[in-house]
Every structure is written in C-alpha cells, then in structure tokens.
Amino acid sequence: MIQLDDRLLALRAQVREWGADFRALGLALDRDPELIREHFDLPAVRYLSTMGIPPEYGNVPIPIAGNRFYGTLALERAIIMEELSCADVGMLVASPGPLLAGVLIDLLADEQQKDWFYGRMLESPLWTFFALTEPDRGSDAGALSTTVVPATADRPALLSGAKRYVGNAARAQLGVVFARTSPGPLGINAVLVENPSTGFHAEALETIGLRGARISAITMDEVEIPPERFLGRHLSPSRRGMWAFVQTFNLLRPGVAAIALGIARAAHEYVITHRTSLRRDECDRLDLLARRIDGARRLVHLAAAAVDARTGDGYLASAAKVRAAQLAHDATQEACTFFGAGARLEHPVLDKLVRDARGMEFIEGTSNMQKLNLFQGLFTGKLDREDPFRTAPLAAV
Amino acid sequence: MTTIARTDQWSRCHRAARTEGVAAALTELATAVLPGLLPCGPAGHAIVPTAIAAGAARVWADGVTVDRGSAAEKALGVIELPGGDVELLRHQVRPGANGFSPAERAGWTLGLVWLRLGLSEELRETAMRYLNGRRTGNSTLLQQQMVKSTVADGLIEHLEVRAVLTGIGPGELPDTVLNHLHTQLTYADRALVKLLGASGYLAGGPGQVARVSELLAEAYCRPEV
Ligand SMILES: Cc1cc2nc3c(=O)[nH]c(=O)nc-3n(C[C@H](O)[C@H](O)[C@H](O)COP(=O)(O)OP(=O)(O)OC[C@H]3O[C@@H](n4cnc5c(N)ncnc54)[C@H](O)[C@@H]3O)c2cc1C
C-alpha cells in the first residue's frame, strides 16, 4: 500500500480543514449553483482556481506546512479531491479553475499557449470547460463529429457542431473543444475557445445531482479559431487528438475516483455524526462500509501513483473509478437505512449525497467503458499480471 | 367504510405507471384505496400528485386516519416529472390516534409495489429505445453484450417481482417480503438508469422518475428493526 509521506499528510490535513467552508455552503449551493460567485475568497476555492498550474508559469499557491502543492500530480489531486468532495462535492465542481482543461494544456500545449492559458488563470479566477461528449456520441468519443474546417487564404478555421453535458461551460470564460479536421482517429484536434465568441452558445442543463457542475449543452456555428488556438500544433497528429484525451483522462481518472470516494466517506461520516447510539448489527454494517472505503482509497492512491509514473498507465485508474463510483452509490444508499422511514426526505444532506453519487457513474466514462478498458489492459499485458502495481513508486509496505 | 381495491385496480395502477407516469399511477392507487385521503408513510411523509395534495381533507398515516387540520404539515418540495409533478409533504400524526385500518394499509402497500414495478418496466423500455438509437462502430449500443446483460438482469428482477405479486391479494405478503420486492426494484432501477448515460441524470426525465420511485419506497415502507 501507499504510505502518504509527511508532506502529503500535511496537505490532507490542510484541505480537510478548508473543507469546513464547503460543508457549510453545500446545500445552499445545491439550490443555487451560482452562489459560488460569492465565495471566491475561500481558501479552497482560491487554491482550486490555480490548481494544476506549474510553478514555472508563476503559480505561487499558499504554502502548506512549508511546502507548495501545485496540484500537478494525480496523487496530490486525489488527496485534495477526496477531502473536498467529502466536505461538499457541489462546491468542488462549481469552483473555477483550470481543472480538466488544465491537465490537457499541461500535456499538449506549446509554450506560448501555456503562457496565455495559465496567465489568464492566474490573473483572476476563471471557469474553464473541457468539451468532448456530443449529443449522439458519449462513450464512443473517438467517433465525435464536431468539425473544425481548416483555414484558407481568405478565412480562419471554423468550428461547428454540438457538445452536451459539459461541466461549467455555460459560465466558463474559456475551454477546450475536441473537433475533427478529417475522418479517422488522427483527424481529431483540441482547440481553445473563448466564451463569449461569435457562433458559440452554451446553456446549463438542470440535473438531479452535482448541480454545482452546471453541465451544459453547447452549440457552435462557425466559431472562428485562430491558428494559435490549435493545441499541440507543434506535435505530430498522432499526439494531438485521441492520444491526448486518453492521456488526459488517465491523469484525471484517479481524481474522479477520489471524488466518488469522498462522497462515500461523507455518507459514512454522516451516520457516525448523526446517529449517536448504534446497535451491534449497525456497528458491524458501518465497520464494513469503513473497510470498503479504506480498500477503495488504497486502490485510488496506487492508481494515481501509477499514472504519475507513466501517463499511459490508466488501467488501475479504471478499476479505481468503477470501484469508487459503485461505493458512492452503495454507501449513500446504505447511510439512509440508519435513519428510518423517509430518511432522504428528512435529511437533505443525505438526499443530496444520494443524488450526487449517481452522477459519478457518468463523469469521465461509464463503468462499462472502464471495465472494457481494464480488460484490455489485462488482455494486452499492459497491466502486469504478476505485479499490477509495479509502476507505483511509493509502494512501501 | 373501508374501500378494498380489486385485482384489476392493481393492473390499472401498474398500467398507468407504465404509460402515464408517477402522478397518474399514484392517483389511480389513491383513488382506489384511499379516496379523499392524503396518504402518508409511517414517519408521516407523503409523495402525491398536486391534486391530491390540494384536495385531501383527511390524512392517512400508514393506516391511521385523522383530520388534516389537526396536525402540523410541512411542504418539503415539488419534483417535476413527465406526466405531472409530485409534491413532497410531511405530516405529524399524533401517536395513539385511532381509526387504524389494516385493510387500507394492505391495499396501499401492495399497490405501491405494482406501481413501482410499472415504473421500472417502463424505465427498461425507455433505456432500450435510447440504446437502440445510439451507435458505436457498426452496431447500436443495445447490441453490446454488456448492455444486453444489464437489460436482462433488470428483466429478471422484474419477472421475479411480478411472479411473487401474481395472484396475490392485499395483506397476503408480510412487510418483509414487500420490502424485499422494493429492494429488488431499486436495484433494477439503479442498473437500468445507468444505461441512459448522462441523459438519465437530467431533472424532469426518466432518471428523475427512478429517483422518485426510490423515494416512494422510502416514504411508505416500514423499515425492519
Ligand atoms: C456531472 C457530469 C459531468 C460531465 N462533465 C463532462 C465534461 O466536462 N465534458 C464532457 O465532454 N463530458 C462530460 N460529461 C459527459 C460524460 O462524459 C458522458 O455522460 C459519458 O461519457 C457517457 O456518455 P453518454 O452519456 O452519451 O452515454 P452513452 O454513451 O449513451 O452510454 C449509454 C450506456 O451505454 C453503455 N455503453 C456505451 N458504449 C458501450 C459499449 N461499447 N459497451 C458496453 N456498454 C456501452 C454505457 O456504459 C452507458 O451505460 C459529464 C457528465 C456528467 C453526468
């Protein structure tokens, strides 16, 4: 298992403390997701607003026990995500910052693009979006049909198509859109888009849970894309499109698993806090849940360490995501059984946890898609059968 | 003055759940079993269409009937659903209030399982339509083996629940069995709703129906101790 070192333990303790603000605001934000605009000064929101920006671009996050955490590592992000989603996942996903788009920028952008993107993020808190899913193409992202018609002598490149369920797009100031310049996997490109832009329209969709995420439907009608907004223009086509989003998702997936883990932990903690005396069988059920949370956390941390060591190693992260998403479902449902008839109607926090947990199935790929990926890793030998955690550098005990 | 629903009333409620939605099905059931009453669960929670929330003069709490004005009532919210909204209420019924009617309770609790079965079966149909309309590679999502397996698992739950319910009258199944049937339906719903992808996570759609279906079980079932 991974032993978190003192640095990471200090990070966890600090973020846990920051989480108190999130917990206090969670229900209100669930009713009104725009409430986040009034809380940019909270330490966790401030931290998230630049998380993932490397130090060489001028990011100076506040020190924690003498260390600065840039949030550029999947393991750091997993720790942060678990704590903040345990406090309140709605506040976490509502917060401005480079998050998904930032990971892609880190992986794919050239120096000038990084300067521009990170520079804007450091100036003031901005929302970003990462637009991949389309109304007709969700899981089969490689078959996306949004187009970017390359520039000609007398007009710039033009982006047209539709995206759906894209987090924070309606309120974001900039983001990345995946689109194709030609058929086939090599024809996919990621372009930076500003909001507002002529021809770009994003509208929030009402969801059952994770309402802070403000998932949105986007339409793009001949949005002009200048050449410097094509990400990875300095790389070969094989490194720009699908390769890039697969690597990005590998890097992000442990964080998504950690969010689900945080929701499960929140449900467990809710029972402990609000049920003062427990029967023997109830203690046993709660202990079992705690063990499941603990087991999933170990898997999440090892998966994070694996992608930190090698961004192509997303197989463990698929396992961690499936496991944690199911755990969030189970834990929130189980928590309700400790509060008698009508628990969800009586405990709005529990109801919210149940609703939020359901969204974890879809973010960053459904369980079926993760299982197919995991199988592929095993079948092709990319997941080492003898020593599946071999790349994890922190494996200690 | 007890009204006991006949078998065809369960099938009407079940059919309404499949074709018209939660509000219509609850109206069928409440009109058949608890006319003029606001149906509340053991802890006083009600999930009812707007017309029943507005029109009921008396409150029925898990078998006990009292005047609606006689106890505190709290509105907990409204959920928009296809086919009509439902309101969430809580009524505090005094312990020891008299007028307990086991026949009404038996009718309501049995009807509720039929109702949820109808909703869950419709969810399966909706998922299949959605999946048949989406493509991956050269085939539809519905033809993916993992998808077929999930649909079949849902169907197996539905068939078993229906097998247990078939030929059964009110009061013939103990609470533990009814609770188990509800658990099976929740399990089926949770698996099936995933098949809708993120479209099943939108407010006002089939995923919201599945959520309300779960809430119905939670509001009206007596948890085991
Ligand atoms: C809260 C939230 C935030 C999101 N944020 C973003 C975002 O920021 N950016 C973005 O681009 N997208 C985002 N999404 C969208 C998300 O990535 C998609 O919902 C997800 O990829 C699934 O796509 P879909 O909804 O179209 O489902 P579909 O692809 O239609 O899948 C339907 C069902 O079929 C199954 N299935 C599909 N293909 C196969 C197969 N080959 N074999 C077996 N089973 C299969 C799936 O597992 C699922 O159960 C978000 C979604 C949510 C709910």
Side-chain angles (χ1 to χ4, degrees):
Chain A
M1 75 176 232
I2 284 195
Q3 298 285 50
L4 298 184
D5 60 20
D6 289 348
R7 272 178 81 254
L8 292 172
L9 289 173
L11 171 68
R12 186 168 74 181
Q14 179 62 78
V15 180
R16 194 169 287 184
E17 200 182 307
W18 288 345
D21 300 325
F22 274 25
R23 188 159 291 168
L25 291 164
L27 279 179
L29 182 98
D30 186 61
R31 285 190 291 274
D32 173 15
E34 295 306 325
L35 198 72
I36 188 73
R37 294 179 190 275
E38 292 166 27
H39 299 288
F40 284 2
D41 57 336
L42 295 179
V45 177
R46 277 215 311 271
Y47 181 79
L48 290 169
S49 73
T50 61
M51 186 176 85
I53 302 181
E56 55 272 31
Y57 295 90
N59 188 15
V60 191
I62 62 164
I64 297 169
N67 292 296
R68 290 191 202 277
F69 294 90
Y70 298 92
T72 44
L73 291 173
L75 183 56
E76 289 175 6
R77 287 195 298 268
I79 290 165
I80 295 164
M81 300 302 208
E82 182 191 331
E83 293 309 322
L84 293 182
S85 68
C86 180
D88 183 66
V89 65
M91 287 291 290
L92 169 64
V93 293
S95 293
L99 205 64
L100 281 83
V103 172
L104 183 77
I105 299 285
D106 191 29
L107 206 63
L108 201 59
D110 63 25
E111 282 310 308
Q112 203 193 334
Q113 288 166 334
K114 285 185 184 173
D115 274 335
W116 180 77
F117 182 87
Y118 293 144
R120 288 200 53 186
M121 302 303 307
L122 287 167
E123 243 167 56
S124 60
L126 298 182
W127 281 287
T128 59
F129 64 88
F130 181 93
L132 177 64
T133 308
E134 298 189 349
D136 294 328
R137 300 283 177 184
S139 304
D140 191 9
L144 61 87
S145 64
T146 294
T147 55
V148 55
V149 180
T152 59
D154 47 4
R155 57 150 185 79
L158 297 173
L159 175 70
S160 296
K163 297 283 175 183
R164 201 166 167 81
Y165 313 122
V166 179
N168 285 319
R171 58 184 167 198
Q173 291 85 355
L174 71 166
V176 286
V177 176
F178 286 89
R180 53 174 70 255
T181 44
S182 59
L186 296 186
I188 297 177
N189 277 264
V191 296
L192 281 162
V193 178
E194 288 184 79
N195 183 20
S197 283
T198 308
F200 182 93
H201 178 74
E203 202 172 277
L205 302 164
E206 288 302 326
T207 48
I208 291 174
L210 294 177
R211 288 172 39 76
R214 267 318 210 191
I215 63 172
S216 309
I218 303 177
T219 54
M220 292 154 293
D221 181 17
E222 301 204 325
V223 180
E224 293 188 6
I225 308 293
E228 67 275 15
R229 298 287 179 260
F230 277 74
L231 285 172
R233 56 192 166 155
H234 60 305
L235 300 171
S236 73
S238 64
R239 296 250 132 181
R240 271 185 224 152
M242 262 185 82
W243 180 87
F245 72 68
V246 169
Q247 309 291 307
T248 303
F249 280 147
N250 286 348
L251 283 162
L252 286 169
R253 206 174 299 132
V256 176
I259 294 177
L261 189 64
I263 295 175
R265 206 181 97 206
H268 183 255
E269 287 180 5
Y270 191 87
V271 179
I272 291 176
T273 317
H274 293 88
R275 277 288 314 270
T276 39
S277 66
L278 291 162
R279 295 191 312 264
R280 178 78 236 163
D281 61 310
E282 290 177 321
C283 288
D284 290 346
R285 280 201 288 141
L286 215 49
D287 285 350
L288 177 61
L289 194 53
R291 279 200 298 281
R292 288 181 63 191
I293 292 169
D294 200 43
R297 181 180 303 108
R298 287 164 194 242
L299 185 55
V300 170
H301 286 182
L302 282 163
V307 288
D308 280 337
R310 217 165 62 88
T311 53
D313 251 338
Y315 306 103
L316 291 176
S318 282
K321 202 234 144 178
V322 175
R323 179 42 52 98
Q326 185 63 45
L327 181 59
H329 258 79
D330 294 351
T332 52
Q333 202 173 2
E334 174 96 4
C336 296
T337 65
F338 285 82
F339 296 94
R344 260 173 271 192
L345 294 127
E346 224 35 51
H347 297 258
V349 171
L350 268 187
D351 178 58
K352 180 175 175 301
L353 286 168
V354 173
R355 288 185 287 113
D356 290 343
R358 275 176 56 176
M360 298 316 297
E361 165 67 11
F362 312 110
I363 295 193
E364 213 272 283
T366 62
S367 299
N368 279 4
M369 303 317 285
Q370 307 298 348
K371 288 180 192 172
L372 290 172
N373 189 41
L374 184 60
F375 174 81
Q376 199 60 19
L378 180 69
F379 187 66
T380 57
K382 289 185 181 147
L383 181 83
D384 191 328
R385 292 178 194 201
E386 301 307 318
D387 186 6
F389 302 139
R390 107 199 101 91
T391 49
L394 295 174
V397 180
Chain B
M1 75 150 266
T2 314
T3 310
I4 302 174
R6 299 189 318 275
T7 315
D8 65 332
Q9 286 170 324
W10 307 142
S11 67
R12 276 218 303 278
C13 167
H14 173 240
R15 201 174 328 111
R18 293 192 59 163
T19 56
E20 295 169 65
V22 179
L26 280 170
T27 304
E28 274 290 344
L29 180 60
T31 312
V33 186
L34 305 168
L37 300 173
L38 176 70
C40 297
H45 300 102
I47 301 176
V48 285
T50 316
I52 292 182
R58 287 169 69 74
V59 172
W60 178 90
D62 200 33
V64 174
T65 308
V66 293
D67 278 340
R68 193 157 174 193
S70 68
E73 184 172 307
K74 193 176 168 203
L76 300 174
V78 177
I79 301 181
E80 284 177 31
L81 292 173
D85 301 350
V86 291
E87 292 190 22
L88 276 45
L89 305 167
R90 191 191 49 232
H91 221 281
Q92 225 88 59
V93 175
R94 277 170 292 115
N98 48 26
F100 182 78
S101 161
E104 284 172 345
R105 185 172 182 280
W108 175 258
T109 51
L110 181 63
L112 210 58
V113 185
W114 275 107
L115 187 156
R116 289 194 69 217
L117 173 64
L119 296 176
S120 192
E121 287 170 342
E122 179 53 18
L123 174 63
R124 188 187 75 220
E125 298 298 315
T126 306
M128 287 177 74
R129 278 193 298 275
Y130 170 84
L131 294 156
N132 205 29
R134 285 174 93 73
R135 302 197 69 78
T136 176
N138 311 329
S139 74
T140 63
L141 289 191
L142 188 56
Q143 293 304 328
Q144 302 304 307
Q145 294 207 357
M146 294 173 91
V147 167
K148 289 185 197 173
S149 164
T150 308
V151 172
D153 283 343
L155 176 60
I156 293 165
E157 297 296 349
H158 295 158
L159 291 172
E160 185 177 309
V161 170
R162 200 160 173 156
V164 175
L165 290 179
T166 298
I168 289 292
E172 290 179 39
L173 295 176
D175 278 355
T176 44
V177 174
L178 293 173
N179 283 355
H180 180 65
L181 297 178
H182 281 296
T183 305
Q184 284 180 281
L185 291 171
T186 297
Y187 175 79
D189 282 358
R190 286 195 163 217
L192 289 168
V193 90
K194 288 182 186 175
L195 293 178
L196 293 169
S199 76
Y201 202 47
L202 297 181
Q208 189 76 293
V209 174
R211 170 173 173 243
V212 170
S213 178
E214 260 186 52
L215 286 177
L216 282 169
E218 199 163 288
Y220 290 108
C221 287
R222 271 188 203 162
E224 276 138 68
V225 278

